[in-house]
Amino acid sequence: MASSIGRLCGPCEARHKTTTAVSWCMDCDDGLYSQCLEDHEVNKASKKHQSIPVSKPIEELASNAKTSAELFDTERGIQELGNTVDELKIHRQRNIDTIKDQRKTILQEIKSYRKQINKHVDNIESDLLKELESKSEQNIYEINILLAKLKERGANIKSLGKTIHQLKESLSDVQVFLATKGFGEKFREEQEWIATVCTQNEAKESVLELSTDLQLKQMVSDLKGFGMVHVVRNPCQIKTDAWEQQRAQLNVPLTAAKDIDQTELELIREISFGVGTQMKDCVIVNDGRMVFADYNHHKVLVYNPEGQLSKSVSVDKSPFGLTVISSITVAVTCRKHETINIVNIDDCVVIQKIKVGKPCCGLSYHDDKLYVLANHTGIMEFDLAGNITRTIPVDVPDNEGYLSYNKDTFSYTCYQYIKESFIACCDDNGEEIWRLDVADSGVTADNYGNYFATKYSDGTLQIVSADGKKIKQLLDLRDLRMYDNLEGVFLDKNSSTLLVSCRSWTASLYRVI
């Protein structure tokens, strides 16, 4: 732009007035008189425009343009946006490879089901053919025996008739008269035998028929396929405003850590479980539904936000640790099968199984990675395709424990029968930061890096500061006269609600204040 000094006011000039501009609008590239400047600054369309006094040379304003913060922000934003596009391309290409691997796995499962079905049907067919052979041969055998008897009796009858004919030719009437009575008795004897035979099963006509099992007919009618292939859409983890957030953090002071002494719990509701349940971990998904791991019944239970049971999903044996992947998908460790089951809680199906190969318990999820606490091994990291990507060496004895990930740190617990139980915090490489004996079960982090943790052995819940130096007890079941043990704990950071599960009877939902 040329020098703005001596320029006329643009709006006044449009009204055929000659008024010297006192300010220059950088966005409109036009001069403004003082009154027009006031109108310009309150107008909705222009109130955010940048204006400068015309007495200051534009060359002076532009002298630092190449090093200005605005240009730097724009250049950095373009660079970050380009990086985001590249990252998204890599992420999508990786997803193609994952889909191909999953397709192979599912194809093998389908073929395996087909082989099992074929084998089962072959066995059923073999048994039925054996039965067909046995019953047909038995009937043929019985008919052949009757045919042999009929042959013998037929010969006797023919012989009797031949004898009568010969006697008629060679004997006198008196002799024939005397012999007729004996012939009559033999005739009646054969007649009675034939009549008796005709009433027996051997003389009845045998007809082979196939009576199809009603269950088979129903199965053929109802069976539409081996199953269904589900597509789970997990949220994209790539942040498109990473630079904006980073810039805001550079310009805005960091939020101070929350003093845990100020933390209190307010009971919202209690959730009751059935007899015989043994609850382990618990989580809350985005829509407020609460999910529990039922260790005894090998199920994942889904409760609506009001606390009523809505769904139940069967999983591998002994489900333990839970983590949220999306609003409809959770993952659960199954200790006895040494697997991670990924569960669609809307369709009530296990959509994927990841083989851990070791006894596993605590589970956490971050950035498309699953982290599982494995006995005598450490924290094992898996991608969602089921591939192990690394193992973080931490002290994990051969007992139960829970795991929580928060901002490049892990907190995990261990319950031991004889030795000291503990809660520990370590960095992303497994380097221990602190260890305490105040908890041994569920653990979850808040937005400030503090940890809510339960102690199974005495039924208490406490909050531990991020540095592990301060502890505050928030709940004691003995004070409430509840003789149970605490297990899982989960903080929904969006709603500031804390879900705590007891081993046998109830779970409680609290508001963190």
Side-chain angles (χ1 to χ4, degrees), residues 101-127:
D101 292 338
Q102 291 170 345
R103 182 170 62 192
K104 290 179 182 177
T105 301
I106 293 173
L107 180 62
Q108 291 174 352
E109 289 183 10
I110 292 172
K111 289 186 176 180
S112 175
Y113 286 135
R114 177 60 182 270
K115 287 180 181 178
Q116 294 177 38
I117 292 172
N118 287 349
K119 183 178 179 181
H120 187 60
V121 172
D122 286 343
N123 291 335
I124 293 175
E125 180 189 28
S126 176
D127 292 341

PDB file of all heavy atoms in Angstrom, residues 101-127:
ATOM      1  N   ASP A 101      -5.009 -56.989   7.865  1.00  0.00           N
ATOM      2  CA  ASP A 101      -4.669 -58.028   8.850  1.00  0.00           C
ATOM      3  C   ASP A 101      -5.926 -58.573   9.517  1.00  0.00           C
ATOM      4  O   ASP A 101      -6.066 -59.788   9.723  1.00  0.00           O
ATOM      5  CB  ASP A 101      -3.722 -57.453   9.914  1.00  0.00           C
ATOM      6  CG  ASP A 101      -2.346 -57.123   9.351  1.00  0.00           C
ATOM      7  OD1 ASP A 101      -1.993 -57.696   8.295  1.00  0.00           O
ATOM      8  OD2 ASP A 101      -1.638 -56.292   9.950  1.00  0.00           O
ATOM      9  N   GLN A 102      -6.849 -57.659   9.872  1.00  0.00           N
ATOM     10  CA  GLN A 102      -8.095 -58.104  10.509  1.00  0.00           C
ATOM     11  C   GLN A 102      -8.922 -58.947   9.547  1.00  0.00           C
ATOM     12  O   GLN A 102      -9.579 -59.907   9.954  1.00  0.00           O
ATOM     13  CB  GLN A 102      -8.896 -56.888  10.967  1.00  0.00           C
ATOM     14  CG  GLN A 102      -8.242 -56.148  12.127  1.00  0.00           C
ATOM     15  CD  GLN A 102      -8.904 -54.823  12.422  1.00  0.00           C
ATOM     16  OE1 GLN A 102      -9.676 -54.304  11.618  1.00  0.00           O
ATOM     17  NE2 GLN A 102      -8.598 -54.246  13.584  1.00  0.00           N
ATOM     18  N   ARG A 103      -8.885 -58.596   8.244  1.00  0.00           N
ATOM     19  CA  ARG A 103      -9.610 -59.374   7.248  1.00  0.00           C
ATOM     20  C   ARG A 103      -9.072 -60.801   7.185  1.00  0.00           C
ATOM     21  O   ARG A 103      -9.837 -61.772   7.108  1.00  0.00           O
ATOM     22  CB  ARG A 103      -9.506 -58.694   5.882  1.00  0.00           C
ATOM     23  CG  ARG A 103     -10.272 -59.411   4.773  1.00  0.00           C
ATOM     24  CD  ARG A 103     -10.319 -58.561   3.515  1.00  0.00           C
ATOM     25  NE  ARG A 103      -8.989 -58.299   2.994  1.00  0.00           N
ATOM     26  CZ  ARG A 103      -8.732 -57.386   2.042  1.00  0.00           C
ATOM     27  NH1 ARG A 103      -9.712 -56.668   1.531  1.00  0.00           N
ATOM     28  NH2 ARG A 103      -7.498 -57.192   1.628  1.00  0.00           N
ATOM     29  N   LYS A 104      -7.746 -60.936   7.234  1.00  0.00           N
ATOM     30  CA  LYS A 104      -7.136 -62.274   7.227  1.00  0.00           C
ATOM     31  C   LYS A 104      -7.567 -63.065   8.462  1.00  0.00           C
ATOM     32  O   LYS A 104      -7.900 -64.251   8.369  1.00  0.00           O
ATOM     33  CB  LYS A 104      -5.616 -62.149   7.183  1.00  0.00           C
ATOM     34  CG  LYS A 104      -5.064 -61.630   5.864  1.00  0.00           C
ATOM     35  CD  LYS A 104      -3.544 -61.522   5.931  1.00  0.00           C
ATOM     36  CE  LYS A 104      -2.969 -60.958   4.637  1.00  0.00           C
ATOM     37  NZ  LYS A 104      -1.504 -60.796   4.720  1.00  0.00           N
ATOM     38  N   THR A 105      -7.536 -62.386   9.614  1.00  0.00           N
ATOM     39  CA  THR A 105      -7.909 -63.061  10.861  1.00  0.00           C
ATOM     40  C   THR A 105      -9.359 -63.528  10.825  1.00  0.00           C
ATOM     41  O   THR A 105      -9.680 -64.675  11.183  1.00  0.00           O
ATOM     42  CB  THR A 105      -7.688 -62.118  12.053  1.00  0.00           C
ATOM     43  OG1 THR A 105      -6.322 -61.718  12.100  1.00  0.00           O
ATOM     44  CG2 THR A 105      -8.060 -62.810  13.361  1.00  0.00           C
ATOM     45  N   ILE A 106     -10.252 -62.629  10.384  1.00  0.00           N
ATOM     46  CA  ILE A 106     -11.672 -62.986  10.329  1.00  0.00           C
ATOM     47  C   ILE A 106     -11.909 -64.082   9.304  1.00  0.00           C
ATOM     48  O   ILE A 106     -12.727 -64.992   9.520  1.00  0.00           O
ATOM     49  CB  ILE A 106     -12.518 -61.733  10.006  1.00  0.00           C
ATOM     50  CG1 ILE A 106     -12.450 -60.746  11.181  1.00  0.00           C
ATOM     51  CG2 ILE A 106     -13.968 -62.107   9.730  1.00  0.00           C
ATOM     52  CD1 ILE A 106     -13.115 -59.421  10.902  1.00  0.00           C
ATOM     53  N   LEU A 107     -11.189 -64.030   8.167  1.00  0.00           N
ATOM     54  CA  LEU A 107     -11.318 -65.082   7.151  1.00  0.00           C
ATOM     55  C   LEU A 107     -10.936 -66.438   7.721  1.00  0.00           C
ATOM     56  O   LEU A 107     -11.605 -67.452   7.484  1.00  0.00           O
ATOM     57  CB  LEU A 107     -10.446 -64.739   5.941  1.00  0.00           C
ATOM     58  CG  LEU A 107     -10.465 -65.739   4.779  1.00  0.00           C
ATOM     59  CD1 LEU A 107     -11.870 -65.865   4.194  1.00  0.00           C
ATOM     60  CD2 LEU A 107      -9.486 -65.326   3.690  1.00  0.00           C
ATOM     61  N   GLN A 108      -9.847 -66.456   8.505  1.00  0.00           N
ATOM     62  CA  GLN A 108      -9.438 -67.711   9.145  1.00  0.00           C
ATOM     63  C   GLN A 108     -10.490 -68.196  10.133  1.00  0.00           C
ATOM     64  O   GLN A 108     -10.756 -69.398  10.236  1.00  0.00           O
ATOM     65  CB  GLN A 108      -8.095 -67.498   9.852  1.00  0.00           C
ATOM     66  CG  GLN A 108      -6.933 -67.279   8.892  1.00  0.00           C
ATOM     67  CD  GLN A 108      -5.647 -66.917   9.621  1.00  0.00           C
ATOM     68  OE1 GLN A 108      -5.637 -66.686  10.834  1.00  0.00           O
ATOM     69  NE2 GLN A 108      -4.549 -66.864   8.888  1.00  0.00           N
ATOM     70  N   GLU A 109     -11.097 -67.244  10.873  1.00  0.00           N
ATOM     71  CA  GLU A 109     -12.150 -67.632  11.818  1.00  0.00           C
ATOM     72  C   GLU A 109     -13.356 -68.215  11.081  1.00  0.00           C
ATOM     73  O   GLU A 109     -13.928 -69.215  11.517  1.00  0.00           O
ATOM     74  CB  GLU A 109     -12.586 -66.409  12.634  1.00  0.00           C
ATOM     75  CG  GLU A 109     -11.547 -65.940  13.640  1.00  0.00           C
ATOM     76  CD  GLU A 109     -12.047 -64.781  14.469  1.00  0.00           C
ATOM     77  OE1 GLU A 109     -13.249 -64.477  14.388  1.00  0.00           O
ATOM     78  OE2 GLU A 109     -11.246 -64.174  15.201  1.00  0.00           O
ATOM     79  N   ILE A 110     -13.731 -67.580   9.955  1.00  0.00           N
ATOM     80  CA  ILE A 110     -14.874 -68.075   9.181  1.00  0.00           C
ATOM     81  C   ILE A 110     -14.585 -69.479   8.663  1.00  0.00           C
ATOM     82  O   ILE A 110     -15.438 -70.382   8.749  1.00  0.00           O
ATOM     83  CB  ILE A 110     -15.184 -67.117   8.016  1.00  0.00           C
ATOM     84  CG1 ILE A 110     -15.714 -65.782   8.557  1.00  0.00           C
ATOM     85  CG2 ILE A 110     -16.209 -67.732   7.061  1.00  0.00           C
ATOM     86  CD1 ILE A 110     -15.873 -64.720   7.501  1.00  0.00           C
ATOM     87  N   LYS A 111     -13.366 -69.684   8.126  1.00  0.00           N
ATOM     88  CA  LYS A 111     -13.012 -71.019   7.618  1.00  0.00           C
ATOM     89  C   LYS A 111     -12.968 -72.042   8.743  1.00  0.00           C
ATOM     90  O   LYS A 111     -13.343 -73.203   8.553  1.00  0.00           O
ATOM     91  CB  LYS A 111     -11.665 -70.946   6.907  1.00  0.00           C
ATOM     92  CG  LYS A 111     -11.716 -70.209   5.577  1.00  0.00           C
ATOM     93  CD  LYS A 111     -10.385 -70.282   4.843  1.00  0.00           C
ATOM     94  CE  LYS A 111     -10.490 -69.627   3.466  1.00  0.00           C
ATOM     95  NZ  LYS A 111      -9.208 -69.683   2.731  1.00  0.00           N
ATOM     96  N   SER A 112     -12.513 -71.583   9.913  1.00  0.00           N
ATOM     97  CA  SER A 112     -12.489 -72.489  11.062  1.00  0.00           C
ATOM     98  C   SER A 112     -13.897 -72.908  11.456  1.00  0.00           C
ATOM     99  O   SER A 112     -14.161 -74.086  11.722  1.00  0.00           O
ATOM    100  CB  SER A 112     -11.790 -71.799  12.244  1.00  0.00           C
ATOM    101  OG  SER A 112     -11.849 -72.589  13.396  1.00  0.00           O
ATOM    102  N   TYR A 113     -14.835 -71.923  11.476  1.00  0.00           N
ATOM    103  CA  TYR A 113     -16.232 -72.249  11.773  1.00  0.00           C
ATOM    104  C   TYR A 113     -16.780 -73.224  10.730  1.00  0.00           C
ATOM    105  O   TYR A 113     -17.506 -74.161  11.061  1.00  0.00           O
ATOM    106  CB  TYR A 113     -17.083 -70.982  11.795  1.00  0.00           C
ATOM    107  CG  TYR A 113     -16.881 -70.122  13.013  1.00  0.00           C
ATOM    108  CD1 TYR A 113     -16.728 -68.745  12.901  1.00  0.00           C
ATOM    109  CD2 TYR A 113     -16.851 -70.673  14.292  1.00  0.00           C
ATOM    110  CE1 TYR A 113     -16.531 -67.949  14.026  1.00  0.00           C
ATOM    111  CE2 TYR A 113     -16.660 -69.890  15.407  1.00  0.00           C
ATOM    112  CZ  TYR A 113     -16.504 -68.527  15.263  1.00  0.00           C
ATOM    113  OH  TYR A 113     -16.317 -67.752  16.368  1.00  0.00           O
ATOM    114  N   ARG A 114     -16.416 -72.969   9.450  1.00  0.00           N
ATOM    115  CA  ARG A 114     -16.912 -73.835   8.385  1.00  0.00           C
ATOM    116  C   ARG A 114     -16.396 -75.265   8.575  1.00  0.00           C
ATOM    117  O   ARG A 114     -17.154 -76.235   8.420  1.00  0.00           O
ATOM    118  CB  ARG A 114     -16.457 -73.288   7.026  1.00  0.00           C
ATOM    119  CG  ARG A 114     -16.851 -74.154   5.839  1.00  0.00           C
ATOM    120  CD  ARG A 114     -18.373 -74.319   5.735  1.00  0.00           C
ATOM    121  NE  ARG A 114     -18.748 -75.187   4.640  1.00  0.00           N
ATOM    122  CZ  ARG A 114     -18.995 -74.769   3.398  1.00  0.00           C
ATOM    123  NH1 ARG A 114     -18.906 -73.476   3.132  1.00  0.00           N
ATOM    124  NH2 ARG A 114     -19.338 -75.595   2.451  1.00  0.00           N
ATOM    125  N   LYS A 115     -15.132 -75.412   8.937  1.00  0.00           N
ATOM    126  CA  LYS A 115     -14.573 -76.746   9.166  1.00  0.00           C
ATOM    127  C   LYS A 115     -15.277 -77.436  10.329  1.00  0.00           C
ATOM    128  O   LYS A 115     -15.579 -78.635  10.260  1.00  0.00           O
ATOM    129  CB  LYS A 115     -13.076 -76.639   9.442  1.00  0.00           C
ATOM    130  CG  LYS A 115     -12.244 -76.306   8.207  1.00  0.00           C
ATOM    131  CD  LYS A 115     -10.760 -76.224   8.563  1.00  0.00           C
ATOM    132  CE  LYS A 115      -9.926 -75.880   7.339  1.00  0.00           C
ATOM    133  NZ  LYS A 115      -8.490 -75.756   7.677  1.00  0.00           N
ATOM    134  N   GLN A 116     -15.521 -76.671  11.393  1.00  0.00           N
ATOM    135  CA  GLN A 116     -16.208 -77.259  12.550  1.00  0.00           C
ATOM    136  C   GLN A 116     -17.617 -77.706  12.176  1.00  0.00           C
ATOM    137  O   GLN A 116     -18.062 -78.788  12.572  1.00  0.00           O
ATOM    138  CB  GLN A 116     -16.275 -76.240  13.680  1.00  0.00           C
ATOM    139  CG  GLN A 116     -14.916 -75.869  14.278  1.00  0.00           C
ATOM    140  CD  GLN A 116     -15.031 -74.804  15.337  1.00  0.00           C
ATOM    141  OE1 GLN A 116     -15.961 -74.787  16.129  1.00  0.00           O
ATOM    142  NE2 GLN A 116     -14.080 -73.894  15.350  1.00  0.00           N
ATOM    143  N   ILE A 117     -18.311 -76.847  11.410  1.00  0.00           N
ATOM    144  CA  ILE A 117     -19.670 -77.202  10.986  1.00  0.00           C
ATOM    145  C   ILE A 117     -19.640 -78.418  10.079  1.00  0.00           C
ATOM    146  O   ILE A 117     -20.441 -79.352  10.227  1.00  0.00           O
ATOM    147  CB  ILE A 117     -20.333 -76.008  10.273  1.00  0.00           C
ATOM    148  CG1 ILE A 117     -20.593 -74.880  11.280  1.00  0.00           C
ATOM    149  CG2 ILE A 117     -21.640 -76.422   9.617  1.00  0.00           C
ATOM    150  CD1 ILE A 117     -21.058 -73.591  10.643  1.00  0.00           C
ATOM    151  N   ASN A 118     -18.698 -78.432   9.107  1.00  0.00           N
ATOM    152  CA  ASN A 118     -18.582 -79.577   8.192  1.00  0.00           C
ATOM    153  C   ASN A 118     -18.307 -80.871   8.950  1.00  0.00           C
ATOM    154  O   ASN A 118     -18.908 -81.913   8.667  1.00  0.00           O
ATOM    155  CB  ASN A 118     -17.472 -79.332   7.169  1.00  0.00           C
ATOM    156  CG  ASN A 118     -17.852 -78.308   6.113  1.00  0.00           C
ATOM    157  OD1 ASN A 118     -19.016 -77.935   6.021  1.00  0.00           O
ATOM    158  ND2 ASN A 118     -16.894 -77.855   5.346  1.00  0.00           N
ATOM    159  N   LYS A 119     -17.397 -80.786   9.913  1.00  0.00           N
ATOM    160  CA  LYS A 119     -17.046 -81.979  10.690  1.00  0.00           C
ATOM    161  C   LYS A 119     -18.260 -82.480  11.477  1.00  0.00           C
ATOM    162  O   LYS A 119     -18.531 -83.688  11.513  1.00  0.00           O
ATOM    163  CB  LYS A 119     -15.898 -81.653  11.637  1.00  0.00           C
ATOM    164  CG  LYS A 119     -15.413 -82.849  12.440  1.00  0.00           C
ATOM    165  CD  LYS A 119     -14.226 -82.471  13.325  1.00  0.00           C
ATOM    166  CE  LYS A 119     -13.768 -83.668  14.138  1.00  0.00           C
ATOM    167  NZ  LYS A 119     -12.625 -83.297  15.026  1.00  0.00           N
ATOM    168  N   HIS A 120     -18.968 -81.533  12.088  1.00  0.00           N
ATOM    169  CA  HIS A 120     -20.140 -81.921  12.871  1.00  0.00           C
ATOM    170  C   HIS A 120     -21.220 -82.529  11.980  1.00  0.00           C
ATOM    171  O   HIS A 120     -21.818 -83.574  12.319  1.00  0.00           O
ATOM    172  CB  HIS A 120     -20.685 -80.695  13.603  1.00  0.00           C
ATOM    173  CG  HIS A 120     -21.789 -81.004  14.564  1.00  0.00           C
ATOM    174  ND1 HIS A 120     -21.635 -81.853  15.640  1.00  0.00           N
ATOM    175  CD2 HIS A 120     -23.083 -80.595  14.599  1.00  0.00           C
ATOM    176  CE1 HIS A 120     -22.778 -81.955  16.297  1.00  0.00           C
ATOM    177  NE2 HIS A 120     -23.674 -81.188  15.681  1.00  0.00           N
ATOM    178  N   VAL A 121     -21.467 -81.880  10.812  1.00  0.00           N
ATOM    179  CA  VAL A 121     -22.484 -82.397   9.893  1.00  0.00           C
ATOM    180  C   VAL A 121     -22.053 -83.753   9.330  1.00  0.00           C
ATOM    181  O   VAL A 121     -22.886 -84.662   9.160  1.00  0.00           O
ATOM    182  CB  VAL A 121     -22.738 -81.389   8.756  1.00  0.00           C
ATOM    183  CG1 VAL A 121     -23.645 -81.987   7.693  1.00  0.00           C
ATOM    184  CG2 VAL A 121     -23.363 -80.115   9.316  1.00  0.00           C
ATOM    185  N   ASP A 122     -20.762 -83.934   9.035  1.00  0.00           N
ATOM    186  CA  ASP A 122     -20.268 -85.225   8.542  1.00  0.00           C
ATOM    187  C   ASP A 122     -20.511 -86.332   9.564  1.00  0.00           C
ATOM    188  O   ASP A 122     -20.893 -87.450   9.210  1.00  0.00           O
ATOM    189  CB  ASP A 122     -18.771 -85.127   8.221  1.00  0.00           C
ATOM    190  CG  ASP A 122     -18.496 -84.341   6.950  1.00  0.00           C
ATOM    191  OD1 ASP A 122     -19.443 -84.147   6.166  1.00  0.00           O
ATOM    192  OD2 ASP A 122     -17.351 -83.930   6.739  1.00  0.00           O
ATOM    193  N   ASN A 123     -20.274 -86.005  10.844  1.00  0.00           N
ATOM    194  CA  ASN A 123     -20.504 -86.997  11.900  1.00  0.00           C
ATOM    195  C   ASN A 123     -21.984 -87.365  12.000  1.00  0.00           C
ATOM    196  O   ASN A 123     -22.346 -88.542  12.149  1.00  0.00           O
ATOM    197  CB  ASN A 123     -20.011 -86.466  13.245  1.00  0.00           C
ATOM    198  CG  ASN A 123     -18.500 -86.361  13.312  1.00  0.00           C
ATOM    199  OD1 ASN A 123     -17.789 -87.078  12.585  1.00  0.00           O
ATOM    200  ND2 ASN A 123     -17.981 -85.498  14.148  1.00  0.00           N
ATOM    201  N   ILE A 124     -22.842 -86.340  11.917  1.00  0.00           N
ATOM    202  CA  ILE A 124     -24.284 -86.600  11.954  1.00  0.00           C
ATOM    203  C   ILE A 124     -24.699 -87.447  10.762  1.00  0.00           C
ATOM    204  O   ILE A 124     -25.476 -88.415  10.884  1.00  0.00           O
ATOM    205  CB  ILE A 124     -25.066 -85.268  11.971  1.00  0.00           C
ATOM    206  CG1 ILE A 124     -24.809 -84.523  13.293  1.00  0.00           C
ATOM    207  CG2 ILE A 124     -26.557 -85.513  11.786  1.00  0.00           C
ATOM    208  CD1 ILE A 124     -25.433 -83.148  13.342  1.00  0.00           C
ATOM    209  N   GLU A 125     -24.176 -87.117   9.575  1.00  0.00           N
ATOM    210  CA  GLU A 125     -24.507 -87.877   8.363  1.00  0.00           C
ATOM    211  C   GLU A 125     -24.022 -89.312   8.476  1.00  0.00           C
ATOM    212  O   GLU A 125     -24.748 -90.258   8.117  1.00  0.00           O
ATOM    213  CB  GLU A 125     -23.869 -87.205   7.144  1.00  0.00           C
ATOM    214  CG  GLU A 125     -24.168 -87.938   5.832  1.00  0.00           C
ATOM    215  CD  GLU A 125     -23.364 -87.386   4.672  1.00  0.00           C
ATOM    216  OE1 GLU A 125     -22.258 -86.853   4.922  1.00  0.00           O
ATOM    217  OE2 GLU A 125     -23.816 -87.491   3.535  1.00  0.00           O
ATOM    218  N   SER A 126     -22.817 -89.485   9.005  1.00  0.00           N
ATOM    219  CA  SER A 126     -22.271 -90.839   9.151  1.00  0.00           C
ATOM    220  C   SER A 126     -23.137 -91.688  10.070  1.00  0.00           C
ATOM    221  O   SER A 126     -23.433 -92.857   9.775  1.00  0.00           O
ATOM    222  CB  SER A 126     -20.842 -90.752   9.685  1.00  0.00           C
ATOM    223  OG  SER A 126     -20.312 -92.022   9.923  1.00  0.00           O
ATOM    224  N   ASP A 127     -23.558 -91.118  11.195  1.00  0.00           N
ATOM    225  CA  ASP A 127     -24.421 -91.854  12.128  1.00  0.00           C
ATOM    226  C   ASP A 127     -25.748 -92.222  11.473  1.00  0.00           C
ATOM    227  O   ASP A 127     -26.273 -93.335  11.659  1.00  0.00           O
ATOM    228  CB  ASP A 127     -24.675 -91.009  13.378  1.00  0.00           C
ATOM    229  CG  ASP A 127     -23.417 -90.822  14.211  1.00  0.00           C
ATOM    230  OD1 ASP A 127     -22.471 -91.608  14.033  1.00  0.00           O
ATOM    231  OD2 ASP A 127     -23.387 -89.875  15.023  1.00  0.00           O
TER     232      ASP A 127
END
